[in-house]
Amino acid sequence: MAVVVVALLAWPIGMLVWANGKIEHVDALSGVANTPGTTYLIAGSDSRADGTIEDTTTPGARTDTIMLLHVPPSGPAALISLPRDTYVEIPGHDAGKLNASFSLGGAPLLVTTVETLTGIHVDHYAEIGFGGVEQVVDAAGGVNLCLESPPLSFPLNDVNSGLVWDAPGCKDVAGPMALAFARMRYSDPTSDIGRAQRQQQLISAVTGAVAKPSLALQPAKQVRLVSAGLGALFVSNGTNIVDLGRLALAFRSATGPGGITGTPPILSIDYRPGGVGSTVELDPDTSPAFFTAIMTGTLPAGAVGGMPGA
């Protein structure tokens, strides 16, 4: 019996130690005063090296995916997508698009800009390269994703992202198509709003795929998933494998029936303040109260935000 117990414990403990040693860290957090709950800022970074960059006007590093995942002391967990083109105050710089803060100052400036925008302290930062999405989905054995009409028109063939979808509905896809699914926006009349919804759907699908009980009996698949996931991941200093496990649980909670998903209240998706082109304008009258309700857990569960007037 002792041998069996040791054998059962050795593998998961060994996996945790091994996985923790593979995590790469980056200096990202601001050190500002804590706010209630635990907050994760998740950024999806892209590289021009893979030849699929859609926007060549933004210099330097870039991030098209910016999500705030918050677990309040009580109340529902929330996964809020912040549109990359949100017009914001960037500390130390002129006002501009949210993803410009990442281009100008990397993870530290992105974190500070999000904290300034939301009033919510970021406890953990996680950045994943889009190229890693393919490997994670393939290591999970593919995922099931859905597209519907409206707002999309079919057959869909988005040349910028490479997404091809013949008719409305769901299908099992491998890594390359999942990556195109997460990137596509030019064939969507809701642009970044629709892309944020698809990215949240992809994250939920991956989380569901890797949470299957049968995975516990597949050590080789566990190793492939950990290698694929951590190989493209950077996290803030002090964040460890246990924190990432809590992040995954928070994702499941936020994207489940008792969670909150969506965007902040949006006033315009074509706000032109001058000098930065078309931007997304958050509603200045309702956004502060929205972020406070997210932080304190007083916002009811369900979908929030979306297109203006939705």
Side-chain angles (χ1 to χ4, degrees), residues 211-267:
K212 293 179 179 177
S214 59
L215 184 61
L217 303 177
Q218 303 177 67
K221 189 172 183 178
Q222 293 176 30
V223 172
R224 289 196 302 272
L225 277 167
V226 172
S227 296
L230 295 182
L233 186 69
F234 293 88
V235 300
S236 51
N237 291 331
T239 298
N240 57 37
I241 196 68
V242 175
D243 296 313
L244 291 180
R246 290 172 177 154
L247 185 154
L249 292 175
F251 261 127
R252 292 192 66 187
S253 178
T255 57
I260 298 170
T261 57
T263 69
I266 294 173
L267 190 62

Side-chain angles (χ1 to χ4, degrees), residues 147-204:
L147 291 176
E148 300 297 337
S149 176
L152 303 178
S153 298
F154 297 87
L156 189 154
N157 187 356
D158 187 76
V159 296
N160 295 93
S161 65
L163 182 65
V164 177
W165 212 275
D166 54 354
C170 304
K171 60 177 66 179
D172 294 328
V173 302
M177 191 60 69
L179 178 59
F181 184 93
R183 278 186 167 137
M184 192 273 286
R185 73 183 179 106
Y186 285 103
S187 296
D188 186 343
T190 65
S191 190
D192 278 340
I193 309 305
R195 176 162 61 176
Q197 293 170 343
R198 286 186 293 279
Q199 290 169 347
Q200 291 187 356
Q201 183 186 157
L202 175 58
I203 290 171
S204 180

Side-chain angles (χ1 to χ4, degrees), residues 11-306:
W11 174 254
I13 292 174
M15 276 286 291
L16 283 173
V17 173
W18 171 73
N20 202 56
K22 290 179 67 68
I23 295 177
E24 296 188 69
H25 291 89
V26 62
D27 186 17
L29 302 183
S30 66
V32 301
N34 287 334
T35 51
T38 302
T39 306
Y40 308 84
L41 180 62
I42 300 99
S45 63
D46 226 333
S47 167
R48 289 177 175 82
D50 59 16
T52 54
I53 291 299
E54 302 170 48
D55 174 12
T56 58
T57 62
T58 302
R62 29 176 279 130
T63 176
D64 281 338
T65 304
I66 305 168
M67 296 184 182
L68 199 69
L69 176 63
H70 181 72
V71 182
S74 63
L79 178 62
I80 304 300
S81 291
L82 303 174
R84 68 168 194 171
D85 290 341
T86 301
Y87 189 67
V88 296
E89 295 295 328
I90 303 176
H93 300 269
D94 293 333
K97 297 180 180 181
L98 178 57
N99 73 336
S101 65
F102 188 82
S103 301
L104 292 167
L109 186 56
L110 176 62
V111 168
T112 301
T113 302
V114 169
E115 289 177 334
T116 302
L117 172 68
T118 65
I120 301 175
H121 169 259
V122 173
D123 298 286
H124 301 282
Y125 171 83
E127 176 188 327
I128 185 167
F130 266 129
V133 173
E134 290 189 45
Q135 286 72 37
V136 172
V137 171
D138 285 338
V143 292
N144 187 264
L145 300 172
C146 304
L147 291 176
E148 300 297 337
S149 176
L152 303 178
S153 298
F154 297 87
L156 189 154
N157 187 356
D158 187 76
V159 296
N160 295 93
S161 65
L163 182 65
V164 177
W165 212 275
D166 54 354
C170 304
K171 60 177 66 179
D172 294 328
V173 302
M177 191 60 69
L179 178 59
F181 184 93
R183 278 186 167 137
M184 192 273 286
R185 73 183 179 106
Y186 285 103
S187 296
D188 186 343
T190 65
S191 190
D192 278 340
I193 309 305
R195 176 162 61 176
Q197 293 170 343
R198 286 186 293 279
Q199 290 169 347
Q200 291 187 356
Q201 183 186 157
L202 175 58
I203 290 171
S204 180
V206 171
T207 304
V210 303
K212 293 179 179 177
S214 59
L215 184 61
L217 303 177
Q218 303 177 67
K221 189 172 183 178
Q222 293 176 30
V223 172
R224 289 196 302 272
L225 277 167
V226 172
S227 296
L230 295 182
L233 186 69
F234 293 88
V235 300
S236 51
N237 291 331
T239 298
N240 57 37
I241 196 68
V242 175
D243 296 313
L244 291 180
R246 290 172 177 154
L247 185 154
L249 292 175
F251 261 127
R252 292 192 66 187
S253 178
T255 57
I260 298 170
T261 57
T263 69
I266 294 173
L267 190 62
S268 172
I269 62 169
D270 190 26
Y271 176 56
R272 297 178 180 269
V276 293
S278 176
T279 70
V280 173
E281 181 186 17
L282 301 189
D283 190 327
D285 295 327
T286 59
S287 289
F290 170 83
F291 287 121
T292 297
I294 289 290
M295 178 177 62
T296 57
T298 55
L299 197 69
V304 294

